[in-house]
Amino acid sequence: AQSVAQPEDQVNVAEGNPLTVKCTYSVSGNPYLFWYVQYPNRGLQFLLKYITGDNLVKGSYGFEAEFNKSQTSFHLKKPSALVSDSALYFCALGGGATNKLIFGTGTLLAVQP
Amino acid sequence: GAVVSQHPSRVICKSGTSVKIECRSLDFQATTMFWYRQFPKKSLMLMATSNEGSKATYEQGVEKDKFLINHASLTLSTLTVTSAHPEDSSFYICSAGDPGAVLNYGYTFGSGTRLTVV
């Protein structure tokens, strides 16, 4: 069965410092992996995806993620955090016969000024 | 880019009444739409997959008679919460995609509907 895990409920980081939000997955075939961000009382916004190709994927707002097949991980990163990056981040796994997206439990990122 | 409009953004209803939430794809045809429920501790639960012209596929544990889904056109899916109760209060989010969306950008999400049942 496919699954995706975000082991951290919350990540705290000071503005200007690098940030990492972790995601691991389990899938029998090739994974389609996504990161989304959610601001309060809003829907989800697409940040970036990995389907195939380079393991380092660059996305919106300066975010990037590294696909690591051996560790089955797809951690989200940003070299220098902004206060405005504070939001809820979801990792998602897609594909398969139903084309459903399976979401992790979300990680709240709090960037302190 | 692809835009999904969800309406209403907030609704308050009395216990026992029904509420309809609309999800529209504005600039593309969505053969598939998904309905999610987001609980206070933030996790997203997929409720059902809505396919245009056919019956929705519900996830295990979701009452299909409670949460009626209709996907009558390629641009509109509706979720009706029937005989709503306070425990149905939640944030409901739809997402939509065209064929192959999952391979390109995932799916586009609506802005969500905050349902409060009093």
Side-chain angles (χ1 to χ4, degrees):
Chain A
Q2 298 182 144
S3 66
V4 60
Q6 292 180 244
E8 303 154 315
D9 277 349
Q10 183 163 337
V11 169
N12 298 308
V13 65
E15 187 174 31
N17 283 359
L19 69 88
T20 299
V21 183
K22 295 179 180 178
C23 173
T24 58
Y25 67 90
S26 175
V27 67
S28 56
N30 292 322
Y32 304 146
L33 293 159
F34 303 85
W35 276 102
Y36 288 87
V37 60
Q38 184 184 32
Y39 296 97
N41 291 311
R42 301 300 302 274
L44 277 65
Q45 297 177 33
F46 171 79
L47 277 180
L48 51 79
K49 71 179 191 297
Y50 173 83
I51 304 295
T52 185
D54 289 342
N55 290 341
L56 184 63
V57 177
K58 293 189 183 296
S60 306
Y61 313 120
F63 284 93
E64 58 188 30
E66 185 168 10
F67 172 66
N68 188 316
K69 189 172 183 178
S70 62
Q71 296 185 3
T72 61
S73 67
F74 189 56
H75 300 332
L76 181 70
K77 300 182 180 186
K78 187 173 182 180
S80 178
L82 300 172
V83 173
S84 57
D85 292 330
S86 299
L88 190 53
Y89 290 81
F90 287 96
C91 182
L93 176 65
T98 61
N99 279 334
K100 292 188 291 190
L101 278 182
I102 300 170
F103 284 88
T105 50
T107 299
L108 184 64
L109 173 66
V111 181
Q112 285 89 34
Chain B
V3 178
V4 172
S5 172
Q6 189 172 340
H7 179 80
S9 57
R10 291 179 179 271
V11 58
I12 300 172
C13 71
K14 291 185 177 180
S15 187
T17 62
S18 296
V19 173
K20 180 183 285 187
I21 302 170
E22 293 187 348
C23 182
R24 293 181 184 270
S25 57
L26 297 186
D27 51 1
F28 67 100
Q29 293 185 329
T31 51
T32 304
M33 291 185 174
F34 300 91
W35 287 95
Y36 293 85
R37 180 173 178 175
Q38 188 170 29
F39 293 94
K41 294 214 169 188
K42 70 188 184 307
S43 65
L44 279 170
M45 181 191 81
L46 177 63
M47 299 174 67
T49 303
S50 168
N51 298 298
E52 186 270 335
S54 63
K55 290 183 178 180
T57 303
Y58 289 82
E59 296 298 305
Q60 192 172 7
V62 178
E63 299 175 62
K64 60 182 67 176
D65 294 331
K66 172 77 170 175
F67 300 99
L68 299 178
I69 291 172
N70 184 280
H71 192 161
S73 77
L74 285 171
T75 60
L76 174 64
S77 176
T78 60
L79 167 68
T80 301
V81 182
T82 63
S83 186
H85 291 287
E87 57 265 30
D88 298 325
S89 298
S90 195
F91 194 58
Y92 294 87
I93 307 175
C94 71
S95 69
D98 53 18
V102 76
L103 297 179
N104 294 317
Y105 54 85
Y107 293 102
T108 303
F109 285 79
S111 54
T113 297
R114 172 72 60 192
L115 171 63
T116 304
V117 184
V118 298

